[in-house]
Structure formats: C-alpha cells, structure tokens
Amino acid sequence: MFELDGTLPLESELRVQIFDYDLLSGDDLIGETKIDLENRFLSARRGVCGLPKRYYVAGPYKWRDAELPRQILEKWCATQALPPPVWRGNSQVYVNGKTCCLRDYETRGQVHKDWGPPEERLALYTLLDLGLVPEHIETRTLYNPLRPEIPQGKIQIFVDIFPKSATIPPPINITPRAPQDLQLRVIVYNVQEVVLSDTSFTGEKMSDIYVKGC
C-alpha cells in the first residue's frame, strides 16, 4: 500500500511500475501501467473511490471514503445541476425524478449490527442505482516501453483519491490472514452403489475398497 501526495491538474497521471529485483546488477523493468487521475477526479460517475454494496461503520468492511453517502449524494446532485434530494424521514428519498425506499433494498428486514444509520444506507443504495462507480479491484495490463505492443502480465490494484482538506480515513488492512492450525475430522458413515469388480473364492461378488483422505 502506497500513499502519495499530488496536485491536480499538474500531476494528473499515476504510473505504476513492476521491477525484477537483482542483487548484483540494476533492477529490470518488467512493465508499467498508467492511470489518468484527472479523468477519474472529474468523472460524473465519481471515480475517486468505489462505493461498497453496504454501509458498515465497524468490522472488516468499514466505510473507507472521506465523505458519508448522504454527503456524496447531495454533492453529486449539485454537480449534475439537479435539485437536492428530498428526504421523507430517514427511509425514503426523492432524487432525479425517482423515489427510493429503504425497504426496497433491505427486503429481509434484518439489520446487521455493523450497519450504519438508515439514511446513510439509503443514500448509498441510491448512489449505486444512479450508476456511480462501485467498489472493485482493477485488473490492468502491464507494458514495457521497449516492447509496447507485447503485454508483460497484469496487476490488480485499486486507487482512491481524497482531497487533502478532507478527513482522510485510515487505510484498510489488506494483510492476508495468518495460517491457523486446525484438526479436521471426517466420519465415513456408509458407502453405497460401489461397483463390485472382484470375486471371492466362494464366487461371491466383492470389492476391496478403502477410503483415503488427502
């Protein structure tokens, strides 16, 4: 995970390079990919930080954007020259000629203990319905400038862009889970419909089967 400071539009391109580490000689460039940050920053679909499917305030899926869903919804309407959202309580909102109800998205009626307030959850569902960029991992192709026509592999990343004036959330922890020792117990209760391919000395069909785990 890397955190970099930049200024738009002066530094509008992010270049991610992958090198082959050499102990004695210089490191060799395997490939690179270029990302247009200004395009994402100015996109009408808000490509600065992908939106998750649910609004969590705790746990491993905790909200990681600098703005809350309701703030994002109000700002998006302003940038698109649309009337501001009209709220009816905390479970219904009218946006862009459509009424969105919380019960239409949470049909089971069960609320997870780590979910946030209902108005923030509804704002997030509405933003996703409006086509804003969802949370996702990008798979980008690597190219080497010496052989620009030949792909050199792929890299999976996600890029977040936050204004320095905002309260920037802490980075998410992407460290893989540590290995855990377990004991697996498998009980074979019965075996049925096995082909009896052998014949005993009495002429009875049989099969010397056994169970093996791996």
Side-chain angles (χ1 to χ4, degrees):
M1 200 268 309
F2 300 90
E3 290 183 315
L4 308 172
D5 293 337
T7 303
L8 292 177
L10 301 180
E11 300 161 315
S12 61
E13 183 180 81
L14 173 65
R15 180 180 302 176
V16 181
Q17 298 177 317
I18 306 298
F19 286 87
D20 176 28
Y21 174 75
D22 291 322
L23 183 60
L24 300 179
S25 61
D27 299 339
D28 299 322
L29 175 65
I30 297 175
E32 64 182 20
T33 183
K34 301 177 182 179
I35 302 173
D36 189 337
L37 300 178
E38 186 177 17
N39 179 274
R40 300 186 178 207
F41 186 76
L42 298 177
S43 170
R45 299 304 174 187
R46 195 178 183 270
V48 295
C49 184
L51 298 174
K53 294 181 179 180
R54 299 284 186 180
Y55 178 67
Y56 289 90
V57 294
Y61 306 109
K62 183 179 179 180
W63 183 257
R64 62 182 180 87
D65 205 311
E67 298 176 304
L68 298 178
R70 188 165 177 173
Q71 295 174 319
I72 298 173
L73 180 60
E74 293 173 352
K75 183 179 293 185
W76 184 84
C77 289
T79 57
Q80 301 303 306
L82 296 173
V86 178
W87 290 86
R88 299 182 180 93
N90 58 6
S91 60
Q92 193 173 9
V93 63
Y94 180 81
V95 179
N96 195 24
K98 178 183 177 181
T99 299
C100 301
C101 300
L102 187 61
R103 64 175 181 271
D104 295 334
Y105 301 97
E106 299 175 359
T107 55
R108 295 184 179 181
Q110 299 177 346
V111 178
H112 193 278
K113 63 181 181 63
D114 291 336
W115 287 0
E119 65 272 12
E120 298 293 351
R121 305 200 309 266
L122 178 56
L124 175 58
Y125 302 140
T126 305
L127 289 167
L128 292 172
D129 277 355
L130 290 170
L132 273 69
V133 176
E135 190 176 60
H136 66 288
I137 297 178
E138 299 181 48
T139 301
R140 303 184 63 88
T141 303
L142 299 170
Y143 293 96
N144 192 304
L146 299 179
R147 296 176 292 274
E149 72 283 356
I150 303 176
Q152 302 297 321
K154 297 181 183 297
I155 183 175
Q156 290 187 315
I157 62 175
F158 57 88
V159 179
D160 297 334
I161 305 174
F162 301 121
K164 291 294 292 289
S165 58
T167 302
I168 301 177
I172 61 174
N173 184 10
I174 59 173
T175 304
R177 291 184 299 174
Q180 184 178 1
D181 293 330
L182 301 171
Q183 182 186 76
L184 177 65
R185 180 173 297 172
V186 181
I187 294 89
V188 180
Y189 179 74
N190 195 6
V191 178
Q192 296 179 347
E193 300 181 8
V194 176
V195 177
L196 303 178
S197 56
D198 297 334
T199 304
S200 68
F201 66 91
T202 61
E204 183 182 2
K205 285 291 184 178
M206 60 172 290
S207 180
D208 297 329
I209 65 172
Y210 65 94
V211 179
K212 180 180 180 181
C214 58

